Amino acid sequence: MAVDDIQKTVYVNTSEESTDALPVATEVGPTTTWGKFLKKIQLDSSNPERLSNADLDPVPWERRTWRWYNLALYWVSDAFSPSGWRAASSLMQIGLSWRWSLFNIALANILIAIIITFNAHPGARYHVCFPVFSRVPFGFYFSYVMVCMRMITGIFWYGIQTYTGAECVRSLLFAIWPSFRNYPNALPKSANIETNFMISWFVYFMLCVPVHLIRVENTRWYFMFKCCLTPICGFAIVGWTVQSAKSLPGPSLFAEGNTVHGTQFTWAFMSALYSNMGGGSTYATNASDYSRYTRRENSILFQLFALPFSNVLMAVMGVIGAAGTRKLYGKILWDPLLLIDNWTSPGGRAAAAFCAIAFTVAQVGQNISANSIAAANDLNCVFPKYINIRRGQIIAALLGAWALTPWNILTSATAFLSFMSGYSIWLSSIAGILFSDYWLVHRLKYDVRELYKPDGIYRYNKWGFNWRAVVAFTCGWVPLLPGFIHAINPNIKVITGMQRLYFLGFFYGFFCAALVYWVLCYFFPQQETYVEAVLPPGNPLDEELCIDGIGTDIAGSDYGMEKKD
C-alpha cells in the first residue's frame, strides 16, 4: 500500500469560539491504481479482525439447505462419470481379474467412505469448512500450509478433469457434426493439442462458468439433476452393449482370471487399493466443505452406503461395457466416450449425442464437487478480504484449465502427473491428524469463536503452529518418500521394502499421523484448547433459550451451552 493510502488526520475547530484544534480521524481513499483496484474488489462482508467473510463464517441457518438425500445423491452423481466407468480398467491391466478388480474398488470405497464420514462431522456440527477447523490441530497460521497444499491439489485435478470434460464435448460435436472429426488442424505439433480439441476445450470451459456461480447450498439441485440423467445413460449403454454382443462369437472378458499370482498378486492388489483410496484423499479432507450446509448431524451417515454402492455400480457397468466392446469391435474399449464415438448411423448419432450430453453434465458436476469448490474454500481462507467462494471457483478454473495447460501435462509431463497422483501421501497424513484431533484429542469439543481469532487459544505459540501436528505430519509422509520417488522415476532404485511401504501409503500415512498426534497430545497437552463446545446459532426458533447469541443446533445438540432458567 502506498504512503498516500494511509489514513490521515486533519484538525478542525469544534466551535466558532474555540481556538483549540481537536484531532478528528478521516479516512482518505486510496490514490494509487493498485489501491483503488483493491478497494474496488474488497468484499463487503470481510472482517479484517477475524480474517473472515460471509463464506468463511459458520453457515447460518437459512443456508443449511442440504438434507440426507442431497448428500446421498451428491455421491451417486459423483460416481456416474467417465472416470467412474473406467475405474476397473487400470486394475485389470495390472493383472487382476474383473472379480478381484470390483472387490478392490468396493473395499477402497467402503474404507474411504468411513474416513470421509468421520471427517465430515465437524462441518455438520459446527458448520465450518476444512480451512477453518484445520486451525485446531495445526495451529492458526500453520494450517495455511495445509490449506495451500490442498488448494494446489484441487487446481491441478481441475485441469485434468477439464481434459475429460473436453473429450465429452468433442464426442457430442462428433455426433452432431460428423465432419468435425476431420476439422483441419491449425496448431503445431509442439502444442500437444489439435484445433478441434481446443474448440471442445473452450466450449466445455464456458459451460462450467455459469455453474461456478451457483451458491454452494444451491448446487444440490444440479447434483439431483445429474443423478437423474447420468444413470439413465449408463444403463442405456450397458443394455445396448449386452443386447448387441450376446450372440456374437469371441473370447469373453468374464472368463479371464488373474494374470498375476502369489506375492505379486498381493502387492498388485495393495497397489490398486492405495490408488483407489488415494483418489478419495481430497474428499477425506474437504468433506466438511459440503457437510457444513446440512441441518442434522446424522445426515452424513448416508454417505456410508451411497458412496461405495454408486462407485461399484458404475465400475460394474464399465466392466460389462468393456466385455461387450471386445466382441463388437475386436478390442476392449474401457472409455465410454470411445464406445459412443463408434455409433455413426443416424440413430446411433442421436444416442451418442444424448450420452455425450449426460457425460458432459456429469463431468462438470464432478469437477465442481471434487476440485473447484475445495480450491475456492482454500483461496477464500488465504485471501478472505477479496475472495469468496464464487470468485475462488473462477480463479481455480482459470488456473487449472488454462494456466497449467493440462494437455501438455497429459501428453509429455508424465513425471509430474505421477507426482500429483502420489500426492495422497501428504493428504492422508492431513486427514489422519484431522480425525485424531477431532475424535480422540478434543472429543468433538471446539470453540467456534476461537477458530476465527488469530491470537486465540488455537494459535498455540507466537508463530501460530502446533508442533505436535508438525511432528505427526512429518512421521506420516517421510518414510513414504523413497517409494514415492521410485514411482515418479523408476530408474531411481530403492529397496523392495520401501516400494511396498509406498503401496500401503494411504493406510500408513493416515494411521501413523493419527497415532503419533494422539500420543503427543496425550503426553504434552495444550490445556487451554480443551474447552466446552461452542456451537454457532441453530434454529432461530430455539435462540431465545440461549445466551450471547450462541444457539443450540437443530439436531438437538446443546454441547457446552448455557441456557436460561
Side-chain angles (χ1 to χ4, degrees), residues 226-299:
K226 175 187 170 185
C227 191
C228 294
L229 180 64
T230 50
I232 295 174
C233 168
F235 283 113
I237 294 177
V238 168
W240 175 86
T241 303
V242 171
Q243 181 63 31
S244 302
K246 67 179 181 179
S247 59
L248 297 177
S252 173
L253 185 67
F254 297 107
E256 297 182 0
N258 298 322
T259 58
V260 292
H261 305 280
T263 304
Q264 189 178 4
F265 167 80
T266 301
W267 289 108
F269 184 89
M270 293 307 301
S271 174
L273 189 67
Y274 164 67
S275 178
N276 283 317
M277 291 193 67
S281 58
T282 53
Y283 292 113
T285 57
N286 75 347
S288 285
D289 292 350
Y290 278 99
S291 64
R292 65 192 293 228
Y293 294 95
T294 61
R295 288 186 175 179
R296 295 184 178 274
E297 293 176 16
N298 59 9
S299 296

Side-chain angles (χ1 to χ4, degrees), residues 2-14:
V3 176
D4 293 338
D5 295 335
I6 299 176
Q7 191 179 49
K8 297 179 179 179
T9 302
V10 296
Y11 294 88
V12 296
N13 288 329
T14 56

Side-chain angles (χ1 to χ4, degrees), residues 50 446-453 458 534 547-548 550:
R50 300 173 62 248
Y446 287 172
D447 187 333
V448 172
R449 296 169 301 192
E450 294 292 324
L451 290 173
Y452 294 89
K453 295 179 180 179
Y458 301 124
V534 177
I547 295 177
D548 296 331
I550 305 299

Side-chain angles (χ1 to χ4, degrees), residues 206-541:
M206 295 309 296
L207 291 173
C208 289
V209 171
V211 187
H212 288 318
L213 301 179
I214 301 174
R215 295 184 71 91
V216 179
E217 62 267 26
N218 294 329
T219 56
R220 70 191 192 280
W221 298 111
Y222 184 90
F223 296 128
M224 188 176 296
F225 167 70
K226 175 187 170 185
C227 191
C228 294
L229 180 64
T230 50
I232 295 174
C233 168
F235 283 113
I237 294 177
V238 168
W240 175 86
T241 303
V242 171
Q243 181 63 31
S244 302
K246 67 179 181 179
S247 59
L248 297 177
S252 173
L253 185 67
F254 297 107
E256 297 182 0
N258 298 322
T259 58
V260 292
H261 305 280
T263 304
Q264 189 178 4
F265 167 80
T266 301
W267 289 108
F269 184 89
M270 293 307 301
S271 174
L273 189 67
Y274 164 67
S275 178
N276 283 317
M277 291 193 67
S281 58
T282 53
Y283 292 113
T285 57
N286 75 347
S288 285
D289 292 350
Y290 278 99
S291 64
R292 65 192 293 228
Y293 294 95
T294 61
R295 288 186 175 179
R296 295 184 178 274
E297 293 176 16
N298 59 9
S299 296
I300 63 177
L301 297 177
F302 293 90
Q303 300 175 114
L304 293 171
F305 172 76
L307 193 158
F309 172 78
S310 54
N311 279 278
V312 171
L313 178 60
M314 196 62 175
V316 169
M317 289 183 176
V319 171
I320 296 174
T325 58
R326 173 183 253 182
K327 291 187 175 183
L328 288 169
Y329 307 115
K331 57 182 178 181
I332 297 177
L333 298 178
W334 283 105
D335 192 330
L337 300 173
L338 295 179
L339 193 160
I340 65 176
D341 285 347
N342 285 279
W343 300 349
T344 55
S345 66
R349 285 169 46 206
F354 170 78
C355 292
I357 290 173
F359 282 127
T360 302
V361 171
Q363 199 60 31
V364 171
Q366 187 184 54
N367 217 357
I368 289 173
S369 63
N371 302 314
S372 71
I373 288 181
N377 273 296
D378 299 333
L379 285 166
N380 182 23
C381 176
V382 177
F383 306 102
K385 192 174 182 179
Y386 304 105
I387 297 178
N388 56 18
I389 291 180
R390 282 180 175 174
R391 293 179 182 180
Q393 285 198 78
I394 298 299
I395 294 172
L398 291 171
L399 292 175
W402 297 103
L404 285 180
T405 62
W407 53 86
N408 286 320
I409 294 174
L410 288 171
T411 55
S412 59
T414 54
F416 183 68
L417 188 62
S418 298
F419 173 83
M420 293 305 300
S421 296
Y423 206 74
S424 60
I425 67 171
W426 288 282
L427 295 182
S428 62
S429 298
I430 295 174
I433 292 172
L434 294 175
F435 166 84
S436 182
D437 182 85
Y438 184 69
W439 292 97
L440 304 178
V441 177
H442 285 98
R443 306 288 181 88
L444 285 68
K445 299 180 181 181
Y446 287 172
D447 187 333
V448 172
R449 296 169 301 192
E450 294 292 324
L451 290 173
Y452 294 89
K453 295 179 180 179
D455 296 320
I457 61 175
Y458 301 124
R459 185 183 178 109
Y460 289 94
N461 52 44
K462 65 179 181 179
W463 298 285
F465 75 91
N466 181 5
W467 66 267
R468 306 159 189 81
V470 175
V471 173
F473 179 66
T474 304
C475 292
W477 68 267
V478 168
L480 301 174
L481 195 58
F484 176 61
I485 294 173
H486 176 75
I488 296 174
N489 186 357
N491 295 324
I492 300 177
K493 303 299 181 182
V494 299
I495 62 175
T496 304
M498 290 292 97
Q499 296 180 41
R500 291 178 174 177
L501 180 63
Y502 177 68
F503 294 155
L504 301 173
F506 191 93
F507 298 101
Y508 173 84
F510 182 89
F511 288 107
C512 176
L515 178 62
V516 171
Y517 181 78
W518 176 77
V519 170
L520 291 176
C521 289
Y522 181 83
F523 287 103
F524 307 98
Q526 189 85 3
Q527 293 293 349
E528 62 268 25
T529 66
Y530 294 87
V531 297
E532 287 301 308
V534 177
L535 299 174
N539 188 340
L541 298 178

